[in-house]
Amino acid sequence: MHITKKFMFAFLIVLSIMIAFTPLSLKTNAETNDPLGINASAAIAVEASTGKILYGKNIDETLGIASMTKMMTEYLLLEAIHKKKVAWDQTYRPSDYVYKISQERNLSNVPLRKDGTYSVKELYEAMAIYSANGAAIAVAEIIAGTETNFVKLMNNKAKELGLKNTKFVNATGLNNSDLMGMHPEGTDEDEENVMSARDVATLAYRLLKDYPEILETSSIEKKVFREGTEDQIEMENWNWMLPGLVYGLEGVDGLKTGYTDFAGSCFTGTAERNGMRIITVVMNAKGKGSNQYVHRFEETEKLMNYIFGNFSVEELFPAQYQLKNKSTLAVVKGKEKKVEIETKSSLKLPIKRGEKNQYKPTYVLDKKVLNQKGELTAPVQKGTKVGYMTAKYSGSDQDYGFVTGASGGKVDLVTKTKVDKANWFVLAMRGIGSFFADVWNGAADTVKGWF
């Protein structure tokens, strides 16, 4: 077959057009998947009372987290305080390791004296407000003796909290190469802590749920470390979105920033408006200008304003709710042959405005409390849990579920009244009645067979 020059010229033009427009098509698809256009490698938004994920972008990709690491260090410290293993007024004298790291002012730090003594509360505040790395390692040593032992606690707690894409190699979030060769045993010199956006949000959710007092510290805009001494240092919170700081946004009161070359510009934020609290995470945020620190706040503001502008927590179904035609369960060996069931509490969820009718109630019964025929066995107490009710979303948006996993968005189904066990006479009479009913039905079936 002879190919003319004219044909080849036309073919090359068509091919050039296809190549030119292919990247544009890919970009359009990506933008469709991310209608907000959040300029970050990963991002997530979660409603804090339920753990419902309201927005997600690459939420299961494992990325660097930098000083957002310190949320786990804070969690373990607050846990130790609650268990009375550590006290706020307990004092600490810096180890050689902590002393050397704390003197590095190119890292976020409050310099500690080698012969000084510091309270746990002072170190905690320096870590939570100013992201002081030496103070974070000091906290690790207070709790576990060494940072090496503390890293083991961090990873164990991560498993306990269900964090599946997480690995901790130090207590600070620094790259191990910044630790002057003193990085925890069993970790590589060039390693850094990594998590997914879902895991970071889950950690923040548990931190706020289990130890809400964290907000009393994370919301402090400025504080003087060792005030009144020659060592005093003014600590301005690295969270510049607190209302009194340069990128202040309504309702923001936490939680933790992070930045390294590996992780990029990161921020876990939390804010409350009109009775709804949300948690947001942006990882490796990007933007215009060379100031890497501000990109995380610009993208977080975009995300927070979208969530607060479009979602609210609403009661979908009230307490004592009963699903039509499914509001009773059969009971065997009871004075009554059935019992009503209802929801123990109301089902509240954060929903997009105008989508309340997109949620349908569904009962899920607990097979462990029922016999093979799906019946309860008397006696049955009032308020006995027999399962749960959830609501299935039928709208067009992607449903990301809950950071709590399958346990999210449920309310208990319980019995409305009690059912006492029937006495032997009633049970006997029922048995006789069932016997004759079976005989009658058998005879009736035989007679029908004659015709």
Side-chain angles (χ1 to χ4, degrees):
M1 179 180 176
H2 180 68
I3 300 175
T4 65
K5 291 183 178 179
K6 187 178 291 186
F7 176 83
M8 284 296 298
F9 180 71
F11 174 77
L12 290 172
I13 290 176
V14 172
L15 182 62
S16 298
I17 292 172
M18 290 175 65
I19 293 172
F21 279 92
T22 298
L24 180 61
S25 300
L26 292 174
K27 182 179 178 183
T28 302
N29 288 336
E31 289 174 349
T32 300
N33 294 333
D34 179 22
L36 296 185
I38 297 297
N39 194 358
S41 295
I44 193 171
V46 173
E47 194 279 317
S49 70
T50 61
K52 183 74 175 71
I53 302 172
L54 306 179
Y55 168 88
K57 176 182 179 180
N58 297 336
I59 63 175
D60 291 312
E61 182 178 353
T62 303
L63 299 166
I65 57 172
S67 280
M68 294 194 300
T69 295
K70 293 183 177 80
M71 289 191 294
M72 178 59 88
T73 305
E74 292 164 353
Y75 188 99
L76 291 171
L77 173 59
L78 292 169
E79 181 181 61
I81 293 288
H82 276 250
K83 291 182 176 180
K84 301 189 184 304
K85 294 181 178 180
V86 175
W88 287 122
D89 59 358
Q90 184 175 326
T91 57
Y92 166 86
R93 178 166 290 187
S95 64
D96 289 342
Y97 174 32
V98 168
Y99 169 73
K100 289 177 182 178
I101 295 298
S102 75
Q103 303 306 306
E104 287 293 310
R105 295 310 304 275
N106 60 319
L107 305 175
S108 184
N109 265 315
V110 291
L112 304 175
R113 287 180 178 269
K114 184 69 178 71
D115 59 351
T117 56
Y118 301 87
S119 72
V120 170
K121 189 67 176 287
E122 284 180 304
L123 296 168
Y124 164 68
E125 290 179 341
M127 172 178 64
I129 298 169
Y130 202 51
S131 200
N133 291 293
I137 300 170
V139 167
E141 291 185 350
I142 290 167
I143 294 172
T146 66
E147 188 180 19
T148 297
N149 291 337
F150 188 76
V151 167
K152 293 176 183 176
L153 295 180
M154 296 174 81
N155 285 308
N156 288 339
K157 182 58 67 173
K159 291 179 182 178
E160 182 184 320
L161 298 179
L163 311 184
K164 298 178 180 179
N165 297 297
T166 292
K167 182 182 180 182
F168 293 111
V169 297
N170 61 52
T172 60
L174 292 172
N175 191 292
N176 269 354
S177 61
D178 291 323
L179 299 177
M180 305 178 189
M182 298 178 285
H183 54 279
E185 296 176 17
T187 66
D188 294 334
E189 185 177 0
D190 60 350
E191 280 191 290
E192 190 168 318
N193 300 326
V194 293
M195 298 179 77
S196 66
R198 185 197 297 268
D199 282 3
V200 176
T202 303
L203 174 58
Y205 167 82
R206 287 298 303 270
L207 182 58
L208 292 172
K209 181 179 175 64
D210 298 344
Y211 307 111
E213 63 267 30
I214 184 68
L215 294 174
E216 296 172 10
T217 306
S218 67
S219 61
I220 296 173
E221 298 163 8
K222 297 178 181 180
K223 191 176 180 70
V224 178
F225 181 76
R226 303 293 268 183
E227 187 171 11
T229 73
E230 59 182 18
D231 295 331
Q232 74 175 33
I233 295 176
E234 185 171 300
M235 303 184 296
E236 182 176 295
N237 202 313
W238 283 101
N239 176 7
W240 298 349
M241 294 190 79
L242 293 174
L245 300 181
V246 60
Y247 281 89
L249 191 67
E250 179 190 352
V252 174
D253 51 7
L255 198 54
K256 194 69 199 73
T257 57
Y259 178 83
T260 61
D261 290 340
F262 173 70
S265 186
C266 304
F267 179 45
T268 299
T270 184
E272 185 174 17
R273 295 183 198 170
N274 301 319
M276 182 173 77
R277 175 172 292 281
I278 63 172
I279 298 163
T280 60
V281 179
V282 294
M283 304 176 74
N284 192 27
K286 301 181 184 299
K288 296 179 180 179
S290 59
N291 189 345
Q292 295 285 340
Y293 297 119
V294 305
H295 302 328
R296 56 196 176 190
F297 303 131
E298 293 168 343
E299 299 310 301
T300 296
E301 180 175 4
K302 192 187 303 182
L303 187 50
M304 284 188 170
N305 284 339
Y306 168 75
I307 298 299
F308 281 125
N310 290 276
F311 290 84
S312 59
V313 177
E314 296 190 32
E315 181 182 86
L316 292 177
F317 305 101
Q320 290 86 51
Y321 179 83
Q322 294 183 311
L323 195 55
K324 189 176 181 181
N325 299 325
K326 294 186 178 180
S327 63
T328 62
L329 279 178
V331 180
V332 294
K333 299 183 179 180
K335 287 185 176 180
E336 291 80 32
K337 293 185 178 181
K338 61 183 179 180
V339 64
E340 290 189 50
I341 57 174
E342 61 186 14
T343 57
K344 184 177 181 179
S345 56
S346 62
L347 179 58
K348 295 180 180 180
L349 288 176
I351 63 172
K352 202 169 187 179
R353 290 188 172 90
E355 288 197 341
K356 192 170 184 178
N357 61 351
Q358 299 293 330
Y359 292 84
K360 305 299 180 186
T362 302
Y363 281 179
V364 179
L365 298 176
D366 184 357
K367 294 180 180 180
K368 294 179 182 178
V369 300
L370 305 175
N371 64 19
Q372 292 182 343
K373 294 182 179 180
E375 304 165 316
L376 289 169
T377 302
V380 178
Q381 299 300 315
K382 177 182 178 180
T384 297
K385 182 180 175 182
V386 296
Y388 63 86
M389 186 183 81
T390 187
K392 290 189 175 181
Y393 174 68
S394 59
S396 58
D397 288 347
Q398 183 172 349
D399 188 350
Y400 292 98
F402 298 77
V403 293
T404 51
S407 62
K410 299 176 180 179
V411 289
D412 289 347
L413 272 178
V414 298
T415 52
K416 188 174 182 178
T417 57
K418 71 174 183 176
V419 179
D420 292 326
K421 187 174 182 179
N423 59 42
W424 67 270
F425 180 76
V426 171
L427 293 176
M429 293 304 294
R430 285 182 185 170
I432 293 171
S434 296
F435 171 77
F436 282 109
D438 291 340
V439 170
W440 173 260
N441 289 333
D445 290 340
T446 300
V447 172
K448 286 180 183 177
W450 293 348
F451 296 94

